Structures are given as structure tokens and as C-alpha cells.
Amino acid sequence: MPNRCEICCEIMIAVLLPPVGVCFRHGCCSVEFIICLLLTILGYIPGIVYALYVIVFVDREQYFDEYRRPLYAAE
């Protein structure tokens, strides 16, 4: 779980460059990053709104529990 300082920095970066903020949180090859990149290309404001939504509300940790862990996540 990220702390408040990390979230605050990601939000500031997401306002300036939305795909970069999403990349820091979810990675460069994630669906969230690709959607944010497309929305930023189509319009800067929709990219910012989606990036803020993904950073604040979407919890990536729910996808990496014991039963739903992808095959490439090795321990």
C-alpha cells in the first residue's frame, strides 16, 4: 500500500504528464497505461481525469493475491 507522499507525487506527475503518472503506479505494459495514453492523445483533460481516477481509486494489489496471481509473477 503506497503512502500519502507517493500518492501526492504521482498525482502531481499525472497532472503534468498523465501516462507517466499511471506508468509509475501500474507499469508501462498495463491496460490502464494504454487507455491513459490514448485518452491523452485524444485530449489532454480526459487523460488527466482518467490518470487521477486510476491513481487514487484503482487498487493494483487486489490482482496479486494468492489465487489470482498471474503466471509471470514469480516468487
Side-chain angles (χ1 to χ4, degrees), residues 45-57:
I45 301 299
I48 291 174
V49 171
Y50 182 75
L52 293 176
Y53 169 75
V54 168
I55 289 172
V56 174
F57 292 113

Side-chain angles (χ1 to χ4, degrees), residues 9-43:
C9 291
E10 289 173 354
I11 287 174
M12 289 191 302
I13 291 171
V15 170
L16 297 174
L17 296 169
V20 176
V22 174
C23 179
F24 285 157
R25 173 60 61 109
H26 294 281
C28 291
C29 295
S30 66
V31 175
E32 290 88 2
F33 174 76
I34 294 171
I35 292 172
C36 186
L37 184 65
L38 290 175
L39 284 174
T40 305
I41 290 171
L42 293 175

